[in-house]
Every structure is written in structure tokens, then in C-alpha cells.
Amino acid sequence: MAKIIIVGGSLGGLLVGNLLRSKGHEVDILEKVPGSLDGRGAGIVPHPILIKALEMCGITIDHDLGVPVQRRVTLDQQGNTIADLELPQIFTSWGRLYHLLKENFPEKNYHSGKNVVSFGENSQEVMVHCDDGTSYNGELLIASDGLRSVIRAILAPQIKPVYTGYVAWRGVCEEAALSKYMKDTLFPYFSFGLPEGEQMLGYPVAGNNNDLSIGHRKYNFVWYRQAPEDTVLKDLLTDADGVFHPQGISPIQVNWKHIAAVRQAAKNNLAPQFAEVLEKTGMVFFQPIYDVYSEKVAFNRVALMGDASFVARPHVGMGVSKAAEDALSIVNNIELHGATPKALEQYQKERLIPCQRVIARAQYLGKFMTAQGQEELKNNHIGIAHRVMEETAVDISDIIMSDDLIPEEL
Ligand SMILES: Cc1cc2nc3c(=O)[nH]c(=O)nc-3n(C[C@H](O)[C@H](O)[C@H](O)COP(=O)(O)OP(=O)(O)OC[C@H]3O[C@@H](n4cnc5c(N)ncnc54)[C@H](O)[C@@H]3O)c2cc1C
């Protein structure tokens, strides 16, 4: 059995770590954040491949994975439903998946507070070095260290996150804080709003401690808004004390004036139900949306996976499922070829084109935010509303395997 090092102990790292352990390998996960990563993510749409990966990790998925939702609706600015679609799905939360995976992985092999800064390699193994002077070695190194991967920056410095021109304002609101009107007309659905140049969506997720009971759940929203890089984004990334955070600002540092402004914009631009959600959400924050596109994900004894290899805009709702698929492919190829460069080469062969296609699909969905998409929306609001509902965060495994990835128009 092999000894394998994973850099990054978030969902991607935990998925591949658990899968490797289920096959008997010795695995160490190095995570730079000290303590729990709890509270980091919000809602997640679990596609079938993610459920399969969890089951293969030995994690039993019972009826309480998340909140079942039967329908999607689009609301106009007055709060009326202008389009709807039957599409049953379950919405789980980032925290739920994190706990399932973390509790399934041995504590002694999960090393928190380990910030990896470099690595070295010979013909037999890889040696990983942390900024506290400690080192770990293994036959393979799997880099699941996210959007700004240090390992990717060493191996392929030319690959950089490319800003898309818009951000996602996000937050999670307590169900109990919402009005009956909101709970009747918005809460039970995967809901959309399409104001000019923007896209709002929201859905119910579990409450604290995975509480799925009525009155104790939460409502998760994602509001895509234009933010040109040199002006609006720069301002958004500057905190209330005037400090600029070019690599990303943490939720608690977002300037209160920006939060007040976005709540006001919600009242002006969105259905009143969505405006209520923003007003009642304690922590409103934003994430700039990036594309990361790779031409290579295997480098001898090192592989990139999850957000370290590709980041697709969240319209596809695929981030965690993609990480699961990467993990399954890595583990399967190690079973077939041992912990060798050949296994990682085969992983690259399997995953490169599907991942590149997920990026293309996500860029296509992002086009509804562009001038061209807006023109379409003006001419055919209801038609586009239906299309957005049909295409956002759905299982696209069949589409990815075909050449008809991008519809003709748009
Ligand atoms: C607005 C938005 C909405 C989203 N919605 C969805 C959705 O509905 N469904 C879905 O599936 N996905 C969604 N995603 C994407 C999803 O969150 C990620 O794709 C997924 O979590 C993949 O995670 P990862 O483990 O690869 O990377 P990350 O979660 O970024 O984890 C990387 C880890 O590596 C650690 N790390 C970084 N550098 C080092 C270092 N030098 N040493 C040690 N550790 C290090 C970090 O601390 C972090 O814990 C969304 C993303 C955004 C921005």
C-alpha cells in the first residue's frame, strides 16, 4: 500500500483522502488553516457522482442529507412568479459534507495549521515542506489547495485565476426570521430573479446541526452582480479601515457601507422576498468569481485536483461534484497502476477534457450576465427565465461527454 500526501483539507482533499484510505493507503492531509473549517461554505447541490463518492468512502447517506425541493420559480421585481419548473433536487450544505468527511478521516492523519510552501521530488517520492519547518514525504502528492494553489503556482505559474467581471454576494438567513409571505412564496423553491445585468438565486438549506425541521432551516442566496476590476471590485476588496485585500477579503472584513449599499440595491432591483432575505441576513459577504483553466494536471508524482486544477463559475453548481470525480479518477488509477507517475498521467487523460468542458459550460451560463445575454433577456424574458432555470446547477455529466455543450444561440 502507498503513502500519499494531500495538500488542502477542504472538501476536495477530504474526498480524495477518504477514498484513498478506503483502499488501504496511508494518507496525510496538510491544511494551512488551524482548527475547523466550519462556517466556510453555504449551499451545495449534490450531484449523483458526489453521492457515489461519499458511499465509496464508507459514508452512509440517509434521508437527512439536505432539504428536498420540488420546483424552481422565477420572480419579477414585484415578487410575482413569472415562470416555474418542476425539478426535484436535494440541497445540502457545505458544513454537512465537511462534517461527514472530516469525521470519517482519522484525526491523527489530518494536520491543521500546516502551511505548505514548497516541495522536492526524486525518482521514488515527494517531500513537502511547511512554513513551520516540518516536512512530510509520500510516493505521490495530491494538491487540493484551491483557487490560489501554491503547488500549481510552483508547477504551472502561467495558470492564474482570471476574473470574470462579476462577484457573487452571498449569505444564509434564518428561516424563523422571515415573514409568512416570504416563506409561502419563495422559501420552498429554488428561486431566481433576473434584474438587468444581474442574477439572483436562492434555496433552502439545513439549519444549525443539520436541523431540517420546519422553522429551523436557513435560506441560502447567491446574487451575481457586475463589478469591474479596477473600480468597483477594488473598492469592494477594501475594508472599512482603508486596507486593500487583493487576494480576497474575508466575510467579516467586508466594509459595512458596501453591505448597506447592497441591501439598498436589493430593495431597488429585486423581488421584495429577496430584499427581505438580504435585510434579515446577519453576515452578507461576497466572492469575486474567477475562471481557472489548466492544460495539464499531472506533473510526474504530483497531481492537481478540485479548485486547484479548474474553477468553473458557480452557475454549473459543480465544484464539489467535480472534486469528487477528480478524486474517484485518481484513486481508480492508483488501483490500476500503483502510486506511480503513470497513474497520474492516466488521471490527466481521463479528466482534462471533461473539466475543460465544464469551464466552457459555466462560461456559457455566465453569458446571461453579459450585454449579449441582456439583449436576449430583454427580447425574451420568460424564455430566458425558463432556460436559466433548466440549465443552472443541474447534472451535466451527459452534456459534458457530448459535443453539443453550448447551444447555438448565445
Ligand atoms: C459563490 C460560489 C458558490 C458555489 N456553489 C457551489 C455549489 O452549489 N455546488 C458545488 O458543488 N460547488 C459550489 N461552489 C464551489 C465549491 O465551493 C468548490 O469548488 C469546492 O469546495 C472545491 O473545493 P477544493 O477542496 O478543491 O478547494 P477549497 O475548498 O478552496 O480548499 C482548498 C483548501 O486548501 C487549503 N490550502 C490552501 N493553500 C494551502 C497551503 N499552502 N498549505 C496547506 N493548505 C492550503 C485551504 O485553506 C483550503 O482549506 C461554489 C463556489 C462559489 C465561489
Side-chain angles (χ1 to χ4, degrees), residues 364 387 406-410:
Y364 151 70
R387 210 150 125 189
I406 313 294
E408 287 281 301
E409 340 79 90
L410 262 186

Side-chain angles (χ1 to χ4, degrees), residues 14-15 18-19 22 52-59 101 104:
L14 281 166
L15 275 163
N18 274 295
L19 283 169
S22 75
K52 179 180 167 192
L54 290 171
E55 283 169 355
M56 286 180 66
C57 292
I59 294 171
L101 288 161
N104 201 54

Side-chain angles (χ1 to χ4, degrees), residues 14 40 43 50 126 239 258 274 398:
L14 281 166
R40 173 180 286 204
L50 176 60
V126 187
D239 67 26
H258 295 316
F274 282 130
D398 289 347

